[in-house]
Amino acid sequence: MTALERLVARLARFARVVVCVEFALAAAAMVYLEFHLFRDVFAGSPRALPVHIEASCEGAAAASPCNGSIDELYPGRYRITTDAPAARLALRLSPPEIVGRARALLIRLTERSGAQVELHGSGPSSTVIGTARATGAGIRSVMDLSASTALSGLTFVGEPGAEAAPFVLDEVGFFETDQGLLNDVRPLFAFIPAPRFYGRLVPGAIAGLLVFLVAASFVVPGAMLRILNPVLLAFICLAFCLLDLAILYSSYDAQDLRLFYAAGALQKPAGENLNIGQWQGFRLLHGNGLTVSPGTVAWSRMPGYGLFCALAGLFFASRSILDMTIATIVLQVLFYAVALGCLAWAAGLLWSPPAVFILGLLIAVLPKQLGYAQVDSIIAPIALLVMASLCLRIKASADGPVRLWVDVLVHSTFALWFLMRPDVLPGWLAVSLVLHWRNWRRLLVPAVLFVAIGCGWGAYKMRYTREFALTTSSAGASLFCGLWEVPSRFALTCSDLKYYEWIGDHTSFAPRSKSANDFAIREVVKFWLTFPGHFVFMLDHKLMQCLGGQCWQGFRTYLQVALYYPLMPEPRAIVGLLTIIGLCLAAGHERRRTLLFAWPLFFNAPLFWVMFASEGRFNSAIPIALLVAAVPPLFEPQFYARLVARPWRTASVLAGVGMLAVAAWPFHDWLMRADAFHYWTPLLDPSTSPLSGFK
Amino acid sequence: MRGAFVLLRDLSIVIIAAAGLWFFWSQYTSLSALSWWYDNTQNLQARIATRQPDYDLTTLPWEVASPRVFEITQGTATMATSSGPFAYQAFATVSTGGASAADIQFDVDVEAGGVTIGLLQGGVWIAINSTLKPGAFAESNAARLGYRRSLTVMIANNNPAGESRLSVKSLRLFLRK
């Protein structure tokens, strides 16, 4: 060993310790980030003084009726609105000893340019002791009340000449200090405005940090990383989930989560996408069954998400539907993080610690939709559990005969998906057949789970609908909508209302009934046969949309933009990962394992090429399947050895991908213009289809 | 061969450690500098409200670079810039006197074109405010000072179309220890 080598070896020993410390520091920073953001994201403000507010209003026109309503967003923070255009909105405040402690008034006035605020004293005549102007930009503002200690009420007066409009005070709250109202309180870099800090600077820093962590994961001792991976990745994932939410629902420059729901989805009737689950859970917890409204069960949903919401309510809060919604989102976030931790643990049985760590990081940073309280938000964590159970199954099968509990676990994860959404069925069936083709009796496990869930839900719904359906009754509506999501000259369009109208025009069935569902399925299949060109075009168009990014589902924040886009934009990431999967299959590297992990690509994504795709919101399992199937082989030397050993197969896959990259979009464009093919009717008479008809 | 591999691996570890240190340090310094800037610009009005400036428009030692017109009369500077779209026009270099930070506040009427006003140290902008359109342009800014002993207040053209015309009604410079 030369002197230089000795010096470098000594330096490397020291550097390894430094890297471990840096690694720990980076992990600690992310854990701190999530603890810091948790309250900001789910509370939306510091706790306000418990001031009691009574609202009354004067209509814009003389003697016109006007009523004020108050919703509590968070203890002491309210949303106050009038139900009609109003000239004045008066807020009476009590009790005086608590109001007297208020030094800052939080206001967010929307839907008008501004208003005069009169502050009333607590004297018998309730005289005006001060005035101020509130701007109506829909952004938070804070009024200093330090000079108004004897406050008894506030009156908002419309500005002269302004158009009559209802008063919408999205936020009103009284606080002892203005700390934490216009910017979050943080010990470091305290003066950088939160939207810039969390929206740009932190994600940018995290992108750099992730690159460092990836490199450092090869230096940190493998045994230590193997132990740390599940917990560490769960915490990192939790931090990213919360950061995404803090960016998308910042209370400082947009609506916080509570306001987003209080002013949006929860104002709409029960049964909308973003409120149906919470209402089901809320009503269940309050003894009204798993129903959406009195006597109504969800026709287009499985029971799982309602139960999930009820569970969230049990764990966290179920006092109001808003509390229940926030509790649901908290549980979604925790579920995602824990599911990634489970995958990291199970993946550790198959792959090296750095491979698992990098795979976990890539999954943690995927775009998500956790701010939405809807079932599609938790399909990704369920997919993580499915992948984790498959890792366990693969390891068990390599070690010898697979024990029953392992298979029960695998099928339980699929069953959990089925409990939420029925689109898992084709994939579940295919995976079951692959896993148990040598041991048919094990097929009883998925069969029992399927029948238990399907019959249970079917029997429960039957009490309300007098029909028995094992899953949902909306497959027909989904197929109907799927037809019109692609450009065409057909007259019908994709919406629930249009579907109801269409069912009403052609049948006497109730639109949400099983009979209507069966009719729609039959007619859609007939339509495919009537217009095979449209069917082909629909498949091609949705496939291309999928490859173009819809299969990389979720809301992008700068966290994803900073990391993925400079390295690999979504379409390239999808095609790149598909290429690796293709290479594994062609070169014979872990074929069975790759197929098992990639099942959502073959048995889930294509469902939405014929059904309602809703711009890809159902596809959250696809990027997880792509990453789990394609990333680990990159860390396996045998993968490269196989590629070298089978050069023709390798070259064929690469050439195929190249051809796809070059020809797919031109082919799609040609197909889009080929009207003769699109509207070709070689098999059935279009006049007999209730779906045909042109604009 | 094995020796070379080990050497390469050890070197990689050293590089990763160094890159990590650099990363943490650079993030910390840039974020703390930005936080300092926000703190200082947000609270600047309150800080300078009761203070006399160290220099103002009339006491700054102005030198001209290329303006067509630059006159200070009755406390107001009138300027017609050269046609260079972003050319330096007038500047005043003063001693920092050991100050660690500087605040600048100005009130300008842009009659045509646009203008950039800011502070330079060692030829590098350390505080900068720009407008591209005519109208009132009143801003304040703050900057940490480096080790250099001098500081330059700069007025530059900011009009891709050429000449700008403006009146500087006030310009005040505050130095902080």
Side-chain angles (χ1 to χ4, degrees), chain A residues 571-596:
Chain A
R572 276 188 229 163
I574 294 170
V575 172
L577 294 167
L578 282 173
T579 306
I580 298 170
I581 292 171
L583 288 171
C584 286
L585 299 180
H589 174 73
E590 297 285 359
R591 257 191 209 133
R592 184 182 149 90
R593 184 189 84 186
T594 306
L595 281 172
L596 273 178

Side-chain angles (χ1 to χ4, degrees), chain A residues 117-150:
Chain A
V117 187
E118 295 172 354
L119 290 83
H120 297 271
S122 57
S125 55
S126 193
T127 50
V128 175
I129 56 171
T131 58
R133 183 176 187 273
T135 54
I139 302 290
R140 266 187 183 181
S141 61
V142 175
M143 200 177 284
D144 184 9
L145 295 181
S146 49
S148 319
T149 48

